[in-house]
Amino acid sequence: MTATVPATDTDDVSGVRPAGPSDPGAVPPHALRRVIETALEEDAPWGDVTSETLIPVEARATATLTAREPGVLSGGEVFAAVMHAVDPAVRTELHLSDGRTFAAGQVLATVEGPARSVLRAERVGLNLVQRMSGIATVTARYVAAVAGTATRVTDTRKTTPGLRALERYAVRCGGGHNHRNSLSDAVLAKDNHLAVLLAGGTSIGDAVRDARGRLGHTVHLEVEVDRLDQVEPVVSAGVDTIMLDNFTPEQLVDGVRLVAGRALVEASGGVSLETVGAIARTGVDVVSVGALTHSARALDLGLDVDVTAALAGDGARVTGG
C-alpha cells in the first residue's frame, strides 16, 4: 500500500485551506486495527461470493474515490488501511490530506490492485470514510459558527459503539476538540449522579469537596448544574470545570459572571448550528455538542472502479453498493 499525500509549501490543494487544526493527530493504531478487522469479518465472513464467482482472478482494477458533494475529508488513511488489510497488493494514493476541504467532483484517492480485493474492501472503506467525513464536515460548520470567540467546540461520549476513536479523530479533522474519551479519564458528575447523592442527604457542595479531597491532583473534576443557584456551591468547592446544562444565553451570561474565572465554563444541551454562535458569545469556554457524532450524516462519496480482465481484455465499469 502507498498512501501518498502531495506536499506543497502551503499544503494547499485546489485553492482550499485547512478547515481545522494543522495536525489532527492520528487514530490510535490498535483501535484502527480492531475496527477494520471487525468490519471486514462482518462484511465478508467467508469471502466475497459475488466477486469470487464473477470476477476473474487475474483481473485488475483502478478505482477513484470521488466526492459527490463538498465537505471536509476525514478517514483517507483509514480508507487506505482497509484496502491494505484486505490485500497488501492493493496500492492507494491519497490526493488530499485529512482536515482539508474538497469540492463536489474532486478525486480524493486512487486505488489500484487485484479487482477482487478492491471490490471486497470497497464497502467497508467507503462506510468509514463517508462517516468520518460527515462528522468532520458538520464539525467544521460549528467551528465556523463560533469564529471570533475564544470558545472551543467539543464532542461528547455520544458516539457509535466501537467507532469512538475514529469519530473523535474526525471531530479534530473538522477543527473541533475532544471531551473526555471515556468514563476512566475524568470525574464528571451529571444530573443522575447528583440525584443519587441528594436522595441520600448529601449536598452538592459537600459531595464536590469530598471528591476533591479523595482524587489525585492530576484528575480533572467537572460537575453539571441546571440552575444558577447551584453555581456558587459547586465552584467554591473546587471544581475544575462547571457544566451549565440547558441554560438560556441570558442565564449563561449570569453563570459566567458568577464563576468569575474560578473554573472553566462549559455549555451543553440544546446546542444547534442556529444557537451555537449566541452561546459562544456569552463567554463560555467550551460548548459540547453531541450532534457532532450522534446526528452527523454520512457524506456522499463514491468509488468508481474500472475493471480490466487480464486474460479476456474486456473492460467493465462498476460502481459498488
Side-chain angles (χ1 to χ4, degrees):
M1 174 191 71
T2 56
T4 306
V5 180
T8 67
D9 290 341
T10 60
D11 196 21
D12 190 282
V13 181
S14 302
V16 301
R17 300 298 303 163
S22 58
D23 181 10
V27 178
H30 68 282
L32 178 58
R33 183 167 53 251
R34 183 170 60 246
V35 168
I36 291 175
E37 289 175 352
T38 300
L40 289 174
E41 182 179 5
E42 176 184 64
D43 199 46
W46 303 286
D48 176 1
V49 178
T50 304
S51 294
E52 291 166 11
T53 302
L54 299 176
I55 305 300
V57 69
E58 304 87 353
R60 298 189 64 81
T62 299
T64 54
L65 176 65
T66 305
R68 311 291 194 221
E69 60 180 318
V72 176
L73 182 64
S74 180
E77 293 283 357
V78 173
F79 176 82
V82 171
M83 291 290 171
H84 183 264
V86 168
D87 187 347
V90 176
R91 301 176 69 253
T92 302
E93 181 179 7
L94 302 177
H95 304 305
L96 200 66
S97 56
D98 285 348
R100 310 291 295 194
T101 58
F102 54 80
Q106 189 168 343
V107 175
L108 308 178
T110 303
V111 177
E112 191 278 327
R116 288 185 177 184
S117 300
V118 172
L119 292 168
R120 178 177 176 180
E122 174 187 11
R123 177 45 51 198
V124 169
L126 277 176
N127 284 351
L128 294 175
V129 72
Q130 287 180 284
R131 172 71 178 157
M132 295 173 69
S133 294
I135 291 170
T137 300
V138 168
T139 301
R141 292 172 184 156
Y142 274 87
V143 171
V146 304
T149 75
T151 302
R152 284 187 170 193
V153 173
T154 77
D155 54 19
T156 70
R157 285 172 41 248
K158 296 176 182 177
T159 54
T160 307
L163 296 182
R164 180 169 295 170
L166 273 63
E167 294 182 350
R168 285 167 58 84
Y169 170 78
V171 167
R172 299 196 300 274
C173 288
H177 296 265
N178 298 140
H179 212 293
R180 59 173 179 164
N181 181 56
S182 71
L183 292 173
S184 302
D185 293 328
V187 174
L188 174 45
K190 304 198 73 172
D191 54 351
N192 286 336
H193 299 98
L194 298 179
V196 173
L197 290 170
L198 293 173
T202 303
S203 71
I204 293 179
D206 288 342
V208 173
R209 274 186 291 273
D210 180 62
R212 181 83 282 170
R214 290 188 289 116
L215 291 172
H217 68 282
T218 63
V219 181
H220 195 90
L221 174 58
E222 180 171 1
V223 175
E224 174 189 87
V225 301
D226 55 18
R227 301 195 316 269
L228 279 170
D229 64 287
Q230 297 171 320
V231 171
E232 182 56 37
V234 166
V235 173
S236 62
V239 295
D240 299 300
T241 301
I242 183 168
M243 179 189 292
L244 308 182
D245 188 48
N246 284 304
F247 278 41
T248 66
E250 294 76 19
Q251 290 172 326
L252 287 172
V253 170
D254 290 338
V256 170
R257 177 181 53 80
L258 288 170
V259 174
R262 292 175 290 169
L264 293 173
V265 180
E266 175 181 344
S268 71
V271 182
S272 68
L273 272 172
E274 292 71 33
T275 64
V276 69
I279 291 172
R281 288 189 291 273
T282 65
V284 298
D285 300 291
V286 176
V287 179
S288 53
V289 188
L292 299 183
T293 53
H294 72 56
S295 298
R297 175 180 61 84
L299 219 60
D300 190 1
L301 310 177
L303 189 69
D304 296 322
V305 183
D306 287 316
V307 179
T308 301
L311 295 182
D314 296 328
R317 186 168 184 82
V318 181
T319 301

